[in-house]
Structure formats: C-alpha cells, structure tokens
Amino acid sequence: MSSKQRDWRFELLRIFSMLLIVATHYFASDNWAVHTDPARAGSWAASAHDSLIMTGQIGVTLFVLISAYFLSTSTHSPIPRMIKLWVQVVVYTAGIYIIYIAIIVARGHKPTFLTIRNTLAAVFPVTMGTYWFISAFFVMMALAPFINVLAEHLTKRNFLLLTGITIWVTFIWRILNPLTLQYFTDIGYFVSLYLIGSVIRRYSELIPTIRFWIVFPVILICFALCTVGTHIVRSGAHIITELGYPSNLFTAGSGASPIFAVIIGTVIFIWVAQTKPLEHSSILGRIVLAISPATLGVYLIHENFIVKQYLWSFVFRVPEPPSILSKMVIAPMEIITLYIVLLAASWGIHSLIINPLLSILKPRLTKIR
C-alpha cells in the first residue's frame, strides 16, 4: 500500500509490535541473577521474569494480524510480495555477512566463520531458516490468497469452525499434550494467526466491542496466568514430569504454546481496529508512515546470527541493576534506546538501499497478478 492508503493506526501498531519483539530478546539475554542463577530457577521471581519473554510473541501476533487483516481480501498473486520480502532479507543477511568477513580479514584473522552453512544462511536466508519468523511469514504470504479463496467459498459457520479447529490444534492441544511436537509448527502458528485476522476483517459484526479498560485487565490476567503456569510446570511434580511439560510451556521458544500472548495480541489488535481512523495529515501520522517500513529491518539486524552474539554481550556488559525498582526504570530505558538506534539504522538502509532496489523491480512486479 502507498502511504496515502496506509492507516497509521496499524503502522503505529506495527512499530509497537517490533518494540515488543526487541524487548523479549532483551529479557531472554539479560544477565540478571533471577535469569542466570540455577538456584533461583524455581522461584516466583524467575517465573515472572520468564513471563516477560512472551512479549515477543505478543509482538509477533500483532505483526501477523496486521498483515492478515489487509491480505485477507486479496486474491492477487503473492509472488510480488514474496520477492519484496526476499530482497529485503537478503540485503541484510548477505550485507552483514560480507561486512563481517571483511572486518575479520582486515584485522589479519583467518575467516573461520566463512563456512558453506553460514554462506547459505546469508544468501538464502528464507530457505535456510536463518530467521524462523521470516521463513514462516514467507510461507504464510504464499498461502494467503489460497486461504482467501477457501474463505470465499466456505459459509461463515464453516470458516469459523475451521478457524476454531486450527486454534485448538495449534495452541490448546499443545498444552494438553506437550509431547505432540508435530502439531505445533511455525507455519501452523502463522496460519492460525492469519485465520484469526481474516475472521476479524470478514466478520467484524461478530467481534465484541473492545475498550481500553478491557485491554489492560486482559494483559494483567494473561501475564498472571503465564507466571502461575510457568511456576507450576517448574515445580517438578511427578505428574508434570511424567506428562513431559517443558518449563517454558506458557512463555516462548521451542516447546511453548503462546496462547496467552495470542490472546493479548488479538485483544489489542481488535481494540485498535475498532478505533476511529486517524488523519494522515497530522505530524505524528506522517512520522509513523515514514518510519514504519523500516520496522522489519530492526528484526533483521538484531536477530541476525552474527550481530546478536555481539549485541547482547555489549548491552549487558554493565552489572545487573541492584533492585526491582531500578530494573523497572533501567530496562525500559535500555530497550527503547536500543530500539531507536536499530530503527534509525534500519531506516537508513531502507532509504539508501531497499527502496532503490524495489523501485527498479517495481515495473516487473506490477505485471505479476
């Protein structure tokens, strides 16, 4: 969509979603004792800390729902969108890889990092799964028009039933029997979110009105349930061990079921979608529309397999904040500062490299329908 067509409510939500993703990687990498000390792994504080990690899945939910909301009525070929995404990802992965190897060689070191696997991960990031999020999102975009055609030919009742079954298999079944690993995949996860976004767009009359005073309690309740659930599965009870519940079942990562994050993200998205459209001409609107295309680059930089090993060791080179209050002040400041720096770098790359490349490709891509 052009900037004139884009609604900056959703673009601001996109920016916010990426902030949450940066936040989750911050908490997953911090040097706090509650996170790194094995003796404190079973404490309530550790469970609450790990529940903060689900913020990233809230961000993922929002990011996918935004795309699903606008793609759910399109039956055009997904190839142009897929090519645009591929170009963006390769620019970042290959670019960072080349610069990193050049720096190593310039310093007189042997480029041991220059392996076949790493080269393929840099040149073919989507296929090689360099970023799980990008690979799953890429496949979701490929499937989107076919899901839309299916939605057009299903009755409302059957499409809602399909969505319900998918949610059950993807999220609830994972909780009931965590050993059924094959029923939760990244692609299945994103297809489930796509169906939810499609339902919100197609059947808005069925969606209850969400006010802000509803959003905040939902966040608190889901966070509390995530904390309690995490504490229970870490209790080491015999039944928990026998059923194979992983300690991160309700938070994020391999083996998790991000059901609470999806609930929070969906409620936030519905609240934004139901608010009155805002004027694009406002100063804030113009700023949001200008920087929102660069948000994906934030992810591609800080989750790059080369960058992240240095980034978090740099961020957490300082000692742990001494108190909970200081953590509540310092952590948001560090996350927001890091996000602004990453966003600025991404905006520069998008303006100087990505946009010119996409402009060259645009005439050819517009012919693909």
Side-chain angles (χ1 to χ4, degrees):
M1 291 184 295
S2 68
S3 59
K4 292 182 179 180
Q5 295 173 311
R6 287 154 51 206
D7 187 329
W8 72 268
R9 293 176 302 167
F10 297 101
E11 297 307 312
L12 181 60
L13 191 60
R14 194 190 304 275
I15 294 171
F16 176 67
S17 71
M18 193 55 67
L19 173 63
L20 294 179
I21 292 173
V22 173
T24 200
H25 295 140
Y26 175 95
F27 292 118
S29 306
D30 66 45
N31 60 350
W32 301 353
V34 71
H35 179 205
T36 60
D37 186 359
R40 302 181 65 176
S43 67
W44 280 100
S47 298
H49 173 275
D50 284 2
S51 294
L52 293 171
I53 297 176
M54 77 169 178
T55 55
Q57 297 308 313
I58 298 172
V60 166
T61 299
L62 290 171
F63 202 96
V64 175
L65 286 179
I66 293 168
S67 297
Y69 188 78
F70 291 103
L71 289 178
S72 61
T73 57
S74 172
T75 55
H76 291 307
S77 170
I79 293 177
R81 289 189 293 270
M82 295 166 66
I83 292 175
K84 289 179 182 179
L85 178 61
W86 189 290
V87 168
Q88 291 186 67
V89 179
V90 171
V91 165
Y92 281 92
T93 53
I96 291 173
Y97 189 61
I98 292 170
I99 292 171
Y100 183 69
I101 296 299
I103 292 174
I104 290 177
V105 173
R107 290 184 174 182
H109 301 300
K110 186 177 180 180
T112 55
F113 198 80
L114 185 60
T115 64
I116 294 176
R117 173 69 194 184
N118 288 340
T119 302
L120 289 174
V123 179
F124 302 103
V126 176
T127 306
M128 299 300 292
T130 305
Y131 304 94
W132 75 269
F133 174 85
I134 296 299
S135 296
F137 193 79
F138 188 84
V139 175
M140 185 205 75
M141 285 202 304
L143 296 175
F146 305 102
I147 297 174
N148 296 344
V149 171
L150 179 63
E152 290 290 341
H153 288 80
L154 286 176
T155 63
K156 180 190 299 185
R157 179 180 181 277
N158 285 340
F159 187 68
L160 292 174
L161 181 61
L162 172 64
T163 303
I165 291 173
T166 307
I167 291 172
W168 174 269
V169 173
T170 305
F171 303 116
I172 308 302
W173 201 340
R174 187 80 181 92
I175 295 174
L176 297 176
N177 183 10
L179 297 180
T180 54
L181 297 175
Q182 65 271 31
Y183 297 120
F184 184 94
T185 65
D186 296 334
I187 294 173
Y189 176 19
F190 278 28
V191 168
S192 297
L193 293 176
Y194 187 89
L195 290 172
I196 293 172
S198 183
V199 167
I200 295 172
R201 180 64 182 267
R202 290 174 179 276
Y203 307 118
S204 58
E205 73 279 2
L206 299 178
I207 308 299
T209 302
I210 303 295
R211 304 298 185 193
F212 179 74
W213 58 266
I214 295 177
V215 175
F216 192 65
V218 168
I219 294 174
L220 292 180
I221 291 170
C222 287
F223 179 80
L225 289 173
C226 184
T227 301
V228 172
T230 300
H231 189 72
I232 290 174
V233 297
R234 286 183 171 183
S235 65
H238 176 69
I239 187 173
I240 297 297
T241 304
E242 186 174 345
L243 291 175
Y245 283 93
S247 61
N248 66 326
L249 179 64
F250 299 105
T251 54
S254 177
S257 173
I259 183 63
F260 295 127
V262 171
I263 292 172
I264 293 174
T266 302
V267 169
I268 293 174
F269 180 80
I270 292 173
W271 169 58
V272 172
Q274 290 177 341
T275 57
K276 183 180 179 181
L278 303 169
E279 291 292 333
H280 294 72
S281 58
S282 67
I283 295 177
L284 178 60
R286 291 198 297 270
I287 293 174
V288 168
L289 292 176
I291 66 176
S292 63
T295 53
L296 184 62
V298 172
Y299 179 83
L300 297 174
I301 294 173
H302 88 282
E303 267 297 277
N304 180 272
F305 66 98
I306 296 173
V307 173
K308 66 181 180 181
Q309 60 181 317
Y310 296 102
L311 175 64
W312 298 116
S313 61
F314 174 78
V315 171
F316 295 111
R317 72 193 188 283
V318 297
E320 173 188 355
S323 65
I324 294 178
L325 181 60
S326 60
K327 288 183 175 69
M328 292 175 65
V329 174
I330 293 174
M333 290 176 58
E334 289 184 331
I335 292 169
I336 293 173
T337 300
L338 175 62
Y339 185 55
I340 291 173
V341 171
L342 290 170
L343 192 58
S346 177
W347 185 84
I349 294 170
H350 194 85
S351 301
L352 298 175
I353 302 175
I354 303 295
N355 270 344
L357 281 176
L358 294 182
S359 296
I360 294 173
L361 292 173
K362 187 175 180 179
R364 295 180 180 272
L365 295 179
T366 52
K367 297 179 181 179
I368 304 175
R369 289 294 177 185

